[in-house]
């Protein structure tokens, strides 16, 4: 015969209660982050539903910040992915005209800063990867000033 221990049923109920107490707030935070990312993608002119598709969301994020699609492979390399993820989030905040402080907020408190970026009055200014990427070739037709003060000849 089997011996039934009523305390085992009580401990299983306690484990379920603890699991539910941890899972429900995590689920709420995740949903808030996804809704914020959805709005950020829509502000950038991309489909909002792309925020919930696992790999495709990173591809769309790379399009928003103006980086090439092959960067998706860098997100798969251990240790390198951390650097490029932080860099991509920084470019995202720059694309909305924000500073590095906002990048830190997006990294540490995404459930607060993604909804702020998505629902706030921040506007998408375009991919900032060109400005943050480094060298821009010299174009003499923009902001040309003749040292002698004469207007340029047409």
């Amino acid at each position: 015969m089997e011996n039934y221990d009523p305390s085992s049923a009580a401990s299983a109920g306690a484990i379920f209660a603890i699991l539910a107490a941890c899972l429900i707030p995590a689920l709420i935070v995740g949903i808030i982050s996804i809704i914020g990312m959805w709005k950020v993608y829509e502000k950038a002119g991309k489909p909002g539903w792309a925020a919930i598709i696992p790999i495709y969301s990173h591809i769309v994020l790379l399009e928003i910040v103006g980086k090439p699609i092959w960067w998706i492979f860098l997100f798969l390399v251990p240790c390198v992915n951390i650097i490029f993820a932080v860099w991509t989030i920084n470019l995202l905040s720059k694309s909305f005209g924000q500073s590095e402080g906002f990048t830190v907020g997006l990294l540490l408190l995404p459930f607060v800063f993604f909804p702020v970026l998505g629902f706030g009055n921040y506007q998408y200014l375009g991919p900032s990867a060109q400005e943050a990427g480094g060298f821009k070739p010299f174009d003499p037709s923009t902001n040309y000033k003749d040292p002698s003060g004469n207007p340029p000849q047409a």
Side-chain angles (χ1 to χ4, degrees):
M1 295 291 270
E2 291 182 30
N3 291 333
Y4 177 72
D5 185 15
S7 65
S8 64
S11 65
I15 291 173
F16 179 74
I18 292 172
L19 182 65
C22 294
L23 187 63
I24 291 173
L27 189 63
I28 291 170
V29 166
I31 289 172
I32 290 171
S33 297
I34 288 171
I35 291 170
M37 286 175 56
W38 187 300
K39 293 300 289 181
V40 167
Y41 281 28
E42 285 181 347
K43 274 190 176 183
K46 302 293 180 185
W49 56 264
I52 60 174
I53 310 297
I55 303 279
Y56 185 63
S57 67
H58 294 303
I59 292 172
V60 172
L61 183 63
L62 289 173
E63 290 175 357
I64 290 171
V65 300
K67 286 297 182 184
I69 302 301
W70 63 265
W71 267 35
I72 198 72
F73 297 114
L74 297 173
F75 290 134
L76 301 175
V77 179
C79 298
V80 174
N81 60 1
I82 296 170
I83 295 167
F84 281 92
V86 170
W87 189 0
T88 304
I89 295 297
N90 185 33
L91 290 175
L92 179 67
S93 68
K94 298 280 187 195
S95 295
F96 281 89
Q98 300 304 309
S99 66
E100 289 80 12
F102 202 85
T103 300
V104 172
L106 284 171
L107 290 170
L108 297 179
L109 296 170
F111 56 91
V112 173
F113 280 83
F114 272 110
V116 165
L117 193 61
F119 290 103
N121 56 1
Y122 301 105
Q123 291 196 358
Y124 178 64
L125 304 175
S128 67
Q130 288 85 12
E131 294 85 20
F135 179 74
K136 288 175 79 173
F138 176 71
D139 185 9
S141 66
T142 59
N143 297 331
Y144 176 75
K145 294 189 183 194
D146 188 24
S148 63
N150 297 330
Q153 304 264 333

